[in-house]
Amino acid sequence: MKKQYEDTDLDISLKKLNADLMWKTKQKQELKKRIISDIEKLESQERNKHPIKLSWIRKLTYSGIALVILFSLFIGAAFISPAMAEVMSKIPYLNKVLHTKDIFISIQERLENEGYKTRIGTNGDNKIEIRVDGSEEYFQDVRKDVEETALEVLRSREYDGYTIKVIKNKVMDEEKPSPETIKKYEEASKVQRALDQELKKHNYHDVTTQVGTLNNSGDLIINIGIPTTEKDAENIKELVQNVITKETDQKYTLKFNKINLKIREQENRWGRVISTIIDGLYSKKEYQVNGFSFSAHPQPMTLYIKTTISSSNPDSKQLGSKVENTIRDFLESEEVKKTIKDDEYKIIVYSKDKQQINY
């Protein structure tokens, strides 16, 4: 028969902790069994050796278990105590978004895991478009389930700013590339590889190349980015021209662009920060954001946010300030400061009628 114990102060505290944190019944019972079992084993081993130490063993065991329980509750995040909720509330909203997977990737992975044949994207606003591959019969069979699955992912993050649109993915014959178009793509890839290899061979590592095709005429479009600090710019232009002449006889348009390496490095550092801001603001209705852009040239880094609110709305300035403060809290957090360093920045929030509403 299991031994019955009187409630100690620690027992009472544990009971209070149990009530405050709303343990799930199954978890509670399993943990309780392990606790009682461990205590009885220790008492059985020590009873004959050190009768006086028995009460201390019990206290130490309870204390150790209490620490384990508290630590497990904190990292498990299955439920949140008022104290933990207070700590979590002090973390800026966008910092939480920073540590979550991109919502589009999350939805796509969930759909793939459940066996749906889909592709996910957006047309630039707050609408998530899911294209379903397969027959019309398959589309009609899974459409509602696909939509509900995507909504479940949004609800799990408390994202209410996106809408879901599920459509059939129609691949028309005229959308399939012709043999001539395929040949032009192959030609562009060949020129791209040749340029990259030749520039690398001459240690022009900061020079960028981008080879594509112009839809209307089909000519090759070749963009070469040369750093403003590069002293051999003319040699690079000559080298590029020689490679193109050697690799293709197709018509092409060649463009040389200047690159500011400091700005490029800055944009690269800000990349994850900016994608987090976009994801976070688009995801919540309360921000009423439907557009975002940024510019690092000229300095400082400037963030432009477009909202759906009218400047004549009496709450427009309040909303503008809310959006700005949400971004600023994120950018001024110690975590993000390590990324953006000491970069100066500006935040401009626009109404739908293109008036600035943050001051």
Side-chain angles (χ1 to χ4, degrees), residues 99-337:
H99 294 288
T100 58
K101 188 177 291 186
D102 178 87
I103 189 61
F104 291 86
I105 295 175
S106 296
I107 293 175
Q108 182 63 47
E109 289 180 349
R110 173 73 179 275
L111 292 171
E112 287 178 356
N113 290 339
E114 297 195 8
Y116 297 116
K117 296 178 253 183
T118 59
R119 307 177 193 185
I120 187 168
T122 181
N123 56 7
D125 56 16
N126 303 65
K127 192 176 293 180
I128 295 176
E129 189 174 85
I130 302 174
R131 294 176 175 267
V132 180
D133 294 330
S135 66
E136 180 66 27
E137 182 181 2
Y138 174 76
F139 170 69
Q140 294 297 339
D141 187 45
V142 304
R143 178 174 57 180
K144 290 183 179 179
D145 292 335
V146 166
E147 180 179 7
E148 181 56 31
T149 299
L151 288 172
E152 283 180 7
V153 177
L154 292 175
R155 286 195 292 263
S156 70
R157 296 195 188 180
E158 298 183 347
Y159 284 2
D160 60 2
Y162 285 113
T163 59
I164 301 293
K165 183 179 181 181
V166 182
I167 62 175
K168 189 179 184 304
N169 189 28
K170 298 179 180 179
V171 181
M172 307 299 290
D173 290 339
E174 57 266 27
E175 292 179 352
K176 296 179 181 178
S178 64
E180 292 78 13
T181 301
I182 293 175
K183 184 177 180 181
K184 289 174 182 177
Y185 285 140
E186 291 174 345
E187 192 81 1
S189 297
K190 182 178 72 170
V191 174
Q192 179 81 66
R193 288 193 299 271
L195 283 171
D196 290 343
Q197 290 172 2
E198 193 67 17
L199 290 166
K200 183 178 180 181
K201 186 169 75 174
H202 289 81
N203 294 319
Y204 293 128
H205 299 293
D206 291 325
V207 176
T208 62
T209 62
Q210 185 179 31
V211 183
T213 59
L214 186 63
N215 292 332
N216 294 334
S217 65
D219 294 351
L220 289 178
I221 302 296
I222 304 171
N223 287 287
I224 308 296
I226 302 177
T228 54
T229 55
E230 181 58 65
K231 297 179 180 179
D232 294 333
E234 293 304 316
N235 291 335
I236 292 172
K237 291 179 181 180
E238 183 178 351
L239 181 151
V240 167
Q241 187 68 64
N242 291 338
V243 170
I244 297 172
T245 301
K246 179 181 177 182
E247 294 296 329
T248 183
D249 55 4
Q250 188 173 323
K251 290 182 179 180
Y252 64 88
T253 300
L254 177 59
K255 297 179 180 179
F256 291 100
N257 308 299
K258 293 181 179 180
I259 296 177
N260 186 313
L261 293 181
K262 289 183 66 176
I263 291 179
R264 186 172 72 177
E265 184 273 337
Q266 182 187 37
E267 290 176 341
N268 289 339
R269 280 190 290 104
W270 277 72
R272 175 60 176 149
V273 172
I274 286 173
S275 65
T276 299
I277 294 172
I278 295 172
D279 192 7
L281 295 181
Y282 273 50
S283 299
K284 295 282 193 179
K285 282 183 179 179
E286 61 184 283
Y287 297 113
Q288 300 185 51
V289 169
N290 68 341
F292 184 97
S293 63
F294 72 97
S295 174
H297 184 73
Q299 290 288 302
M301 173 69 76
T302 305
L303 310 181
Y304 304 94
I305 299 91
K306 181 183 174 184
T307 69
T308 59
I309 195 168
S310 172
S311 60
S312 60
N313 188 312
D315 296 325
S316 61
K317 291 184 179 180
Q318 183 179 353
L319 173 66
S321 296
K322 180 178 181 178
V323 172
E324 177 183 354
N325 291 335
T326 298
I327 298 173
R328 197 173 295 280
D329 287 344
F330 176 54
L331 298 179
E332 293 299 322
S333 66
E334 290 302 318
E335 181 179 23
V336 177
K337 275 185 176 181

Side-chain angles (χ1 to χ4, degrees), residues 6-22:
E6 295 180 359
D7 283 350
T8 65
D9 290 340
L10 185 55
D11 291 319
I12 295 170
S13 297
L14 284 173
K15 286 182 179 180
K16 186 176 184 302
L17 178 65
N18 179 40
D20 289 344
L21 294 171
M22 299 178 291

